[in-house]
Amino acid sequence: MRSGAVDAGGAWAAKIAGSFEPYSFVEFHRQLLPALVEQRGHLVAGDLVGAPPLGFRCGETTFTWIGSEQGVVVREGDVDAVTLIELSEQAFSDFLHELLTVRGADSTGRARVVRGDLAGWQRWEPAIQSLCSGREIYGPGVRQTLVDSTGAPLDLHRGFLLDDDLDEMRHFFDRAGYLHLKGVFSPQEVAQYGAAIESARQRTTRDDPTTWWSVTADGEDVVTRMNYLGRHSSLLAALAHDPRLERCAQIAGRELRVCDDRLDGPMVFIKNSNVVKGNGNLGWHIDPALGGGPVICPFIQVGIQLDHANPVNGQLLVLAGSHRYTKHALGWGDEKDLPAVALVTDPGDITIHDAYALHTTPPPTGDAAGRRVLYYKFAEQKTFNWIPAGYHYNDGLFQTGAQYQAVTDAYTPEDAST
């Protein structure tokens, strides 16, 4: 999601790409990939059963990936490729480093589908990430890992208090990828924050590039997200450094800083009923949906609940444990036997989720939703070293290089979930 900032040169984004050792397209396929398959092929062999062969073309050279009992077999050429992707060596390297996802490569014009369709590439994405990173692919087996320190199954709907045992909360967050804290803010504070948001909403216009808008079935334009709220409210700006939010960062178990001046800053997500166009309802996604996980993660979202969250008013659902794995793209209803947890919260509660956790905010079932969640992000110092104030990682994806300028100009929030 664009912050509205403009950096025609993209120098900072180029610096990010230059910080990761580039992969040679030919050397990777002829030398590195066979070694990775020998080491990690067992992580992907079962997942790739029935996967149509995938080909990559860089310049005049092509290689085809074919699932096998050992994991993957690579053949030079593309005669067997059901899906064939053309991309530059830099884009291929960025994809392997997870600086770019399939969606990110497609959205920014860094890759072209020569044959087949984008879904054919997405089918392979978690397996490729697993081979490169060593992470397993998310599936029903995650349930055996969702246990407490004694080995007993976690109560995935459990709520904590802010001053509960830090180690116990950290263990839950580490295993599940999310946490629910009850009653952190008073009704008076919730009312103050809500009033500040409503004041900002009254001043927000459709042409503000730091906002997302949707259209309802009645044809009404409604704002669904407002970023960098600190420019509208000193109260919301100061809240970024509230000790209660700093406690939330400690729960993650890392040295994290609040992103009050970058990565969209303080922002509010607003649920509206009967949305027919726009990103008012987000499907299953991770926050680095277009790429950049190694740059912005570890990264948590701390959500201050200003309204009741339930199916009628709209609520957050998380796939427990998914932050620790690579994962397939999912649509609503594809969760099946995966541990999908719907978080029912009250005003003043906080939710915390890991950016790599698959989560969704489906359509409210009621006709008068209006749930508002005030979000503050926390990331490591490396993220601040790479991404300058006023920017999001996605800005670099869309603003690097003149060849992508047309894509930048045409970009709308409907193109991404982050």
Side-chain angles (χ1 to χ4, degrees):
M1 174 225 18
R2 295 179 64 188
S3 67
V6 177
D7 177 18
W12 64 269
K15 181 180 178 181
I16 290 175
S19 299
F20 292 79
E21 184 175 357
Y23 285 105
S24 161
F25 184 74
V26 172
E27 180 183 348
F28 178 83
H29 282 96
R30 291 180 178 170
Q31 300 179 28
L32 297 181
L33 182 55
L36 289 174
V37 171
E38 182 176 358
Q39 179 184 3
R40 300 169 177 167
H42 64 283
L43 297 178
V44 305
D47 181 77
L48 292 176
V49 172
L54 170 68
F56 290 107
R57 173 187 294 169
C58 180
E60 299 300 317
T61 307
T62 58
F63 292 92
T64 298
W65 301 47
I66 302 172
S68 71
E69 292 183 356
Q70 292 72 39
V72 177
V73 171
V74 179
R75 295 178 183 169
E76 296 200 27
D78 60 65
V79 64
D80 297 313
V82 175
T83 295
L84 178 61
I85 305 298
E86 183 177 61
L87 72 180
S88 69
E89 189 164 64
Q90 181 65 60
F92 181 74
S93 181
D94 288 349
F95 172 65
L96 296 182
H97 281 300
E98 298 185 46
L99 299 175
L100 197 64
T101 64
V102 171
R103 284 186 55 197
D106 177 64
S107 298
T108 61
R110 284 168 164 80
R112 183 173 71 92
V113 179
V114 178
R115 185 163 65 240
D117 55 34
L118 203 65
W121 186 8
Q122 289 178 313
R123 172 65 177 82
W124 277 79
E125 186 168 25
I128 294 172
Q129 291 177 346
S130 291
L131 287 172
C132 292
S133 71
R135 309 195 309 274
E136 296 182 31
I137 299 173
Y138 187 65
V142 69
R143 291 184 182 275
Q144 65 185 2
T145 74
L146 300 174
V147 296
D148 64 20
S149 58
T150 70
L154 291 175
D155 175 2
L156 297 179
H157 294 276
R158 179 181 177 181
F160 291 85
L161 299 178
L162 189 62
D163 58 356
D164 279 348
D165 183 76
L166 187 60
D167 288 337
E168 188 175 6
M169 291 191 290
R170 281 178 175 171
H171 181 87
F172 187 101
F173 184 77
D174 176 69
R175 293 291 87 197
Y178 66 90
L179 197 77
H180 175 194
L181 295 172
K182 295 183 175 181
V184 178
F185 292 93
S186 69
Q188 293 77 17
E189 289 174 309
V190 169
Q192 288 179 321
Y193 304 149
I197 286 171
E198 292 310 311
S199 177
R201 176 151 47 170
Q202 292 301 316
R203 298 195 301 273
T204 296
T205 58
R206 188 71 168 79
D207 59 357
D208 182 347
T210 66
T211 59
W212 291 10
W213 290 75
S214 296
V215 180
T216 68
D218 294 331
E220 179 185 4
D221 283 342
V222 291
V223 64
T224 55
R225 179 161 163 171
M226 295 185 290
N227 301 322
Y228 294 104
L229 286 170
R231 62 199 168 101
H232 293 298
S233 167
S234 59
L235 176 67
L236 299 181
L239 182 56
H241 303 282
D242 188 289
R244 289 166 290 189
L245 298 193
E246 293 175 357
R247 170 76 167 176
C248 293
Q250 293 172 0
I251 291 172
R254 306 180 180 96
E255 293 293 327
L256 302 180
R257 288 178 54 189
V258 66
C259 303
D260 57 338
D261 64 348
R262 64 203 73 198
L263 298 185
D264 302 331
M267 69 91 167
V268 64
F269 192 71
I270 304 170
K271 295 296 291 184
N272 295 275
S273 297
N274 305 313
V275 166
V276 295
K277 182 180 180 182
N279 266 356
N281 303 307
L282 300 179
W284 289 109
H285 67 283
I286 60 174
D287 288 322
L290 302 185
V295 174
I296 66 175
C297 296
F299 168 68
I300 65 170
Q301 294 264 26
V302 177
I304 302 173
Q305 309 297 314
L306 302 182
D307 301 285
H308 293 283
N310 51 48
V312 173
N313 203 31
Q315 65 186 147
L316 174 70
L317 281 73
V318 185
L319 280 171
S322 58
H323 63 302
R324 294 181 278 115
Y325 298 80
T326 68
K327 40 257 180 187
H328 285 281
L330 297 176
W332 288 320
D334 292 340
E335 310 92 310
K336 297 179 180 178
D337 51 354
L338 297 173
V341 181
L343 297 177
V344 177
T345 59
D346 294 318
D349 289 359
I350 278 179
T351 60
I352 310 171
H353 72 263
D354 188 290
Y356 267 134
L358 275 169
H359 55 286
T360 180
T361 57
T365 59
D367 291 328
R371 182 176 72 93
R372 300 157 301 172
V373 185
L374 182 57
Y375 278 108
Y376 291 84
K377 303 177 181 69
F378 289 80
E380 287 186 334
Q381 180 60 46
K382 67 177 183 180
T383 299
F384 292 79
N385 296 341
W386 270 322
I387 300 178
Y391 289 90
H392 193 289
Y393 179 83
N394 292 351
D395 293 326
L397 289 182
F398 282 95
Q399 297 175 10
T400 303
Q403 66 268 43
Y404 304 122
Q405 192 59 49
V407 179
T408 301
D409 294 341
Y411 178 64
T412 64
E414 286 84 349
D415 297 317
S417 294
T418 55

